[in-house]
Amino acid sequence: MPPDAARWRRFSDVFARTVEDAGYACIIPPMFEDLGVFRRLGEATDVVTKEMYDFEDKGGRHIALRPEQTASVCRAFAQHRPATPWKVWYSGPNFRYEKAQAGRYRQFDQVGIEVLGTDDPDIDVEVIFLGWDFYRRLGLSNITLMVNSLGDTTDRQRYVDALAAHFASRASTLSEEAQRTLEKNPLRVLDSKRDQDKAAVESAPLLKDFLSEDARSHFARVCEGLKELDVPFVVNDRLVRGLDYYRRTTFEYVSTALESAQNAVGGGGRYDGLVEEIGGPATHGIGFALGVDRTLLACDAEGVFPAPDASVDVFIVDVVDGRQARALTHDLRRLGFSADRAFDGRSMKSQMKAADRSGAKVAIIVGEDEASSGPCVVRRLDSSDQVVISRVDLVDYLGSLGLTPSTETA
Ligand code: HAM
C-alpha cells in the first residue's frame, strides 16, 4: 500500500545505483522454472523439501515458483553462456511455504547480485562490500557482518563425516528433530536452536580445522581485503547458511536492531558447483540476496530510510467547470512540474481539502473572475498567503518558492 510501496521502489533504486556503479547489469529471472532447477539447491534443505510452491501445469510440466533467484541466474548462464565475469543484479518476489510471522513471509522480496566465472578472492571482497555499502547508504548502522569459509567439496565432505561421527556418538542426547536432520544432513544439526542439542552443537568439530591450504589462503585474502576496505566483520565458524550449494566464502548481514529469530537481513556466498549441476560448464559463482521486507523492518527499528515524500508541487482548484484545471495541470506537467487537481465539480471547500491532502506547496485557484489566459490566484498552503499572478509569470513565481521543473524525461 502507499506510501510503503513507494519506499520499496526507492529501496530498489538505491540498490540499483549502488551495484550498477560497480558494473552489475540488471537481469529479470522468471517467476517460475522447471522444478529441477530448484532441486539443485539441495535435497537436504527445507527450502526444497518443505517450502516449495510446486505444481503440475496444464501441459503436465512440474514447475515451481522460485524460492530464490540464484538458481535461475545459473540456469540463464548455462543456457546463454555470456562472457565472464558475468555480473548481474536482480530484485523481485520469491515464494517459500514457511510459517508466516513478523519478518518471515510466504511471498517476500529480495534484491541481490551474482558474479559468475571468477574465483578471484577480490570478487568476494567486492560482493561483500557492496552489500555492506548498501546498508550504509540506507542509513543503517546496527548491522553485523559475519563471514566464514565452508571449504571446498572435499574439505566439506571430510568435515561432514567428522560431524556425523560426532553427533552419532551423542545421538541419544539429541532432540528427535535433530536426529532426523542428522540422517539427511549433519551440517544442518548445527542450526538447531533447541536447548537439548546445545551441548552436542557446542562441542562439535570446527570447519576451519578441515580447510585445505587453497581454501584457507583464499579466505585469508578475503579477510585481508575486507580489513583494507574498513568493513568490520566477525568470523563465525558456525555460519553454515540454509542452502546446500555453498562452497568456500559464506557471509550474512545481521541486524542487531531486530529480534534474533528473524535478524538475518541478507546473506550469500560462493556456489562454485551450481552452474555445472544445472547442466552448464564448470563455473565459479558468488553472490548475495538481501531481504527487502526484513531490511525495511530494520530501517523502522533504527528510524532511518522513511517513505519518500509523495506530494505534488501544485494543486489546481477550479470552481468554474474544470476546463481550466484540465488545461493548466496539462501545461504544468508538460513543463516538468508535478501537478494534480480535483474532479467531479466539487465545492471550493472540498477542493481546498483535497489540495491540503495532496501535500502540494501551492494551490492555483481558478474562479469566475479568471479568464482562460488571465491571471490566477496562487495560494501558499503552508501560510495561506496568496498573490495574483499573470500566467506568463507563473513559472518564475513557482521558482521563487523553490518549485523547479523536473528535468527527467521519460
Ligand atoms: P537466503 O539466506 O535464503 O539466501 O535469503 C536471503 C535473505 O532473504 C535472508 O537473509 C532474509 O533476509 C530474506 N528471506 C529469506 N526468506 C524469507 C522469508 N520467508 N521472509 C522474509 N524474508 C526472507 C538466498 O536466497 C540465496 N539465494 C542468497 C544468495 C545469492 N547466495 C548466493 N547468491
Side-chain angles (χ1 to χ4, degrees), residues 68 70 96 98 103 105 108 110 114 241 245-246 264-266 287:
E68 57 107 66
T70 311
R96 297 183 191 176
E98 302 212 58
Y105 311 108
F108 60 96
Q110 287 181 338
E114 311 291 348
R241 309 262 308 119
Y245 51 56
Y246 291 111
V265 286

Side-chain angles (χ1 to χ4, degrees), residues 292-313:
V292 179
D293 313 78
R294 232 180 251 185
T295 302
L296 288 174
L297 287 178
C299 290
D300 290 341
E302 290 200 33
V304 298
F305 199 70
D309 179 13
S311 55
V312 291
D313 296 330

Side-chain angles (χ1 to χ4, degrees), residues 50-69:
K50 295 191 196 153
E51 297 169 2
M52 203 108 82
Y53 279 90
D54 63 310
F55 54 95
E56 208 168 274
D57 72 5
K58 291 190 200 307
R61 301 169 200 89
H62 201 166
I63 59 178
L65 298 185
R66 63 183 185 203
E68 57 107 66
Q69 296 172 65

Side-chain angles (χ1 to χ4, degrees), residues 9 13 28 50 68-69 73 75 96 122 146 149 158 175 178 195 256 260 294 339 351 370 380:
R9 212 178 66 185
D13 288 347
I28 306 177
K50 295 191 196 153
E68 57 107 66
Q69 296 172 65
V73 169
R75 195 266 311 138
R96 297 183 191 176
D122 283 353
M146 295 194 298
S149 174
R158 282 190 302 127
S175 65
D195 281 344
T256 50
S260 68
R294 232 180 251 185
Q351 291 196 41
E370 287 83 28
R380 295 183 58 155

Side-chain angles (χ1 to χ4, degrees), residues 116-164:
L116 288 161
T118 168
D119 73 339
D120 189 327
D122 283 353
I123 198 72
D124 302 34
V125 176
E126 174 175 300
V127 166
I128 297 171
F129 175 81
L130 286 172
W132 176 261
D133 191 42
F134 172 64
Y135 286 124
R136 200 187 48 79
R137 288 186 194 209
L138 292 181
L140 288 170
S141 43
N142 295 325
I143 300 287
T144 301
L145 166 63
M146 295 194 298
V147 297
N148 191 21
S149 174
L150 296 183
D152 291 309
T153 317
T154 47
D155 308 340
R156 232 168 103 115
Q157 196 49 54
R158 282 190 302 127
Y159 178 59
V160 170
D161 291 346
L163 260 190

